[in-house]
């Protein structure tokens, strides 16, 4: 993760500060450090006592987003922002802070008689592996009561089928079949330097929209490392520009086949050879076609938009 310094603010996080998870006494140490920092600050902690913090952000909402992301990226389970600017979150609601820092509506979504609010701090993607099933990361579903996805201003419902926290994978079942789905490729050996594309979504915050809305984005790069952190062979690293909206989205080869899934905003991806084991264990069908020819980035973007969806994290009111 890169440190970003500006003339007026410094954004800070657990990863930036220590490069490791915060547990036990180190979470207490981070909390004490957070308390002494300048405002537009937030503190988040998980049920396993892993914490994240941010300070001197541009807005309170941005501080909350950074603290929450850092807690999750550091290994926190069910992370929740507990304080903003030194005030307990129970006394200053997430909805109030978002309303003061965003143009989006105060969405109220009703499903089967239950009221839900979108958690706009959680942004992620997923992609269809067949007409019914969606692959994403376990991080994308950890802090949500319910997961929907958005298409053309409408929300579509899903159910969580299985979560694999050890490998940061999750499978959802869409209640509405999708016509298009991924073609998956895996090789015995990952090729360093191979060109890659990623597809994910950024929230657009359209005024007067009835649901959160999103804009798709394609980026290009290469496989920079055939393994992840600590030489973990389950992962590979790419140079593509990614953000939290890419997490759970596909990594694609030049022929349009999916060869990985973005695991975090640090440009680490789970290889297709690994996530297909997860799909096989669940007896979920997927398409494997060997395409010999490369296709244009425009064609990759067109096909990716049909199979990739922005996930909407919903929590009961």
């Amino acid at each position: 993760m890169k440190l970003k310094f500006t003339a007026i603010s410094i954004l800070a996080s657990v990863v930036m500060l220590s490069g490791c998870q915060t547990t036990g006494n180190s979470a207490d140490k981070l909390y004490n450090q957070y308390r002494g920092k300048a405002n537009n600050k937030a503190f988040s902690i998980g049920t396993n006592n892993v914490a994240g913090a941010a300070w001197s952000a541009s807005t309170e909402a941005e501080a909350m987003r950074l603290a929450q992301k850092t807690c999750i990226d550091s290994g926190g389970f069910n992370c929740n922002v507990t304080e903003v600017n030194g005030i307990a979150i129970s006394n200053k609601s997430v909805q109030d802070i978002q309303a003061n820092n965003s143009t989006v509506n105060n969405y109220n979504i009703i499903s089967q008689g239950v009221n839900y609010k979108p958690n706009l701090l959680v942004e992620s993607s997923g992609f269809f592996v067949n007409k019914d099933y969606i692959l994403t990361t376990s991080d994308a579903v950890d802090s949500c009561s319910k997961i929907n996805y958005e298409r053309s201003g409408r929300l579509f419902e899903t159910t969580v089928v299985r979560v694999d926290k050890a490998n940061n994978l999750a499978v959802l079942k869409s209640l509405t079949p999708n016509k298009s789905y991924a073609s998956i490729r895996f090789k015995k050996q990952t090729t360093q330097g191979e060109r890659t594309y990623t597809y994910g979504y950024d929230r657009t915050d359209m005024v007067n929209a009835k649901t959160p809305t999103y804009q798709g984005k394609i980026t290009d790069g290469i496989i920079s490392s055939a393994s992840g952190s600590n030489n973990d062979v389950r992962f590979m690293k790419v140079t593509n520009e990614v953000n939290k909206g890419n997490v759970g989205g596909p990594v694609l080869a030049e022929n349009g086949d999916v060869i990985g899934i973005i695991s975090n905003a640090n440009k680490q991806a789970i290889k297709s050879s690994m996530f297909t084991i997860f799909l096989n264990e669940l007896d979920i069908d997927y398409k494997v076609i060997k395409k010999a020819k490369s296709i244009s980035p425009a064609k990759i973007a067109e096909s990716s938009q049909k199979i990739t969806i922005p996930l909407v994290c919903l929590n009961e009111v």
Side-chain angles (χ1 to χ4, degrees):
M1 182 181 294
K2 294 182 178 179
L3 283 171
K4 182 179 179 181
F5 295 91
T6 70
I8 59 172
S9 67
I10 298 175
L11 305 184
S13 68
V14 175
V15 173
M16 295 175 188
L17 291 169
S18 64
C20 63
Q21 298 178 4
T22 59
T23 57
N25 291 334
S26 55
D28 294 335
K29 182 178 179 181
L30 178 68
Y31 177 75
N32 290 331
Q33 188 175 12
Y34 144 83
R35 293 285 291 181
K37 296 298 182 179
N39 269 352
N40 284 345
K41 61 185 179 182
F43 185 84
S44 175
I45 192 164
T47 54
N48 59 343
N49 211 30
V50 173
W55 50 80
S56 298
S58 57
T59 64
E60 292 176 345
E62 177 70 1
M64 292 170 63
R65 183 187 71 77
L66 289 168
Q68 182 78 347
K69 177 183 183 302
T70 303
C71 181
I72 293 171
D73 287 352
S74 299
F77 298 151
N78 300 314
C79 292
N80 284 292
V81 176
T82 57
E83 278 194 17
V84 177
N85 291 342
I87 301 173
I89 201 67
S90 59
N91 296 325
K92 194 166 190 177
S93 70
V94 173
Q95 289 82 5
D96 288 342
I97 293 169
Q98 288 171 340
N100 290 331
N101 290 279
S102 177
T103 58
V104 299
N105 293 341
N106 189 20
Y107 303 111
N108 184 45
I109 296 166
I110 300 175
S111 175
Q112 299 179 351
V114 179
N115 288 341
Y116 295 91
K117 293 284 187 185
N119 182 351
L120 301 181
L121 296 174
V122 178
E123 292 183 45
S124 57
S125 297
F127 62 94
F128 280 89
V129 295
N130 61 36
K131 66 182 180 64
D132 297 312
Y133 290 95
I134 299 162
L135 186 66
T136 186
T137 65
S138 61
D139 287 346
V141 304
D142 262 353
S143 57
C144 311
S145 303
K146 186 179 183 66
I147 300 286
N148 283 5
Y149 66 90
E150 185 264 345
R151 275 277 172 87
S152 302
R154 293 179 56 200
L155 287 186
F156 294 85
E157 295 196 20
T158 75
T159 56
V160 178
V161 176
R162 183 70 63 87
V163 172
D164 177 3
K165 286 182 177 291
N167 294 300
N168 194 18
L169 292 170
V171 167
L172 314 175
K173 184 173 184 180
S174 173
L175 303 189
T176 304
N178 198 58
K179 292 181 181 179
S180 301
Y181 43 90
S183 173
I184 296 171
R185 186 194 86 188
F186 56 89
K187 300 190 300 183
K188 289 183 178 179
Q189 189 172 21
T190 303
T191 305
Q192 191 176 31
E194 180 179 354
R195 181 161 294 281
T196 55
Y197 296 90
T198 62
Y199 200 88
Y201 287 86
D202 293 327
R203 198 173 75 246
T204 57
D205 288 352
M206 290 180 62
V207 179
N208 297 324
K210 294 182 179 179
T211 67
T213 53
Y214 301 83
Q215 177 67 48
K217 182 178 74 173
I218 186 171
T219 65
D220 67 336
I222 61 169
I223 297 174
S224 59
S225 175
S227 58
S229 301
N230 300 315
N231 292 321
D232 193 333
V233 296
R234 296 172 300 169
F235 299 89
M236 60 184 177
K237 291 181 179 178
V238 296
T239 62
N240 304 62
E241 178 190 346
V242 298
N243 57 27
K244 63 178 182 176
N246 288 99
V247 174
V251 179
L252 305 112
E254 285 187 288
N255 61 4
D257 285 348
V258 174
I259 58 173
I261 175 174
I262 293 294
S263 180
N264 55 49
N266 295 329
K267 303 183 179 184
Q268 191 160 259
I270 304 166
K271 297 175 184 177
S272 56
S273 57
M274 297 306 304
F275 71 64
T276 50
I277 295 174
F278 183 50
L279 297 176
N280 290 339
E281 289 298 320
L282 297 176
D283 198 26
I284 292 175
D285 293 332
Y286 52 89
K287 179 171 66 174
V288 178
I289 298 178
K290 294 183 178 179
K291 301 175 186 174
K293 295 183 178 180
S294 299
I295 58 177
S296 70
K299 287 292 186 183
I300 291 175
E302 180 182 358
S303 61
S304 296
Q305 191 275 333
K306 294 177 181 178
I307 67 170
T308 311
I309 38 90
L311 301 182
V312 181
C313 175
L314 301 176
N315 288 313
E316 291 185 36
V317 177

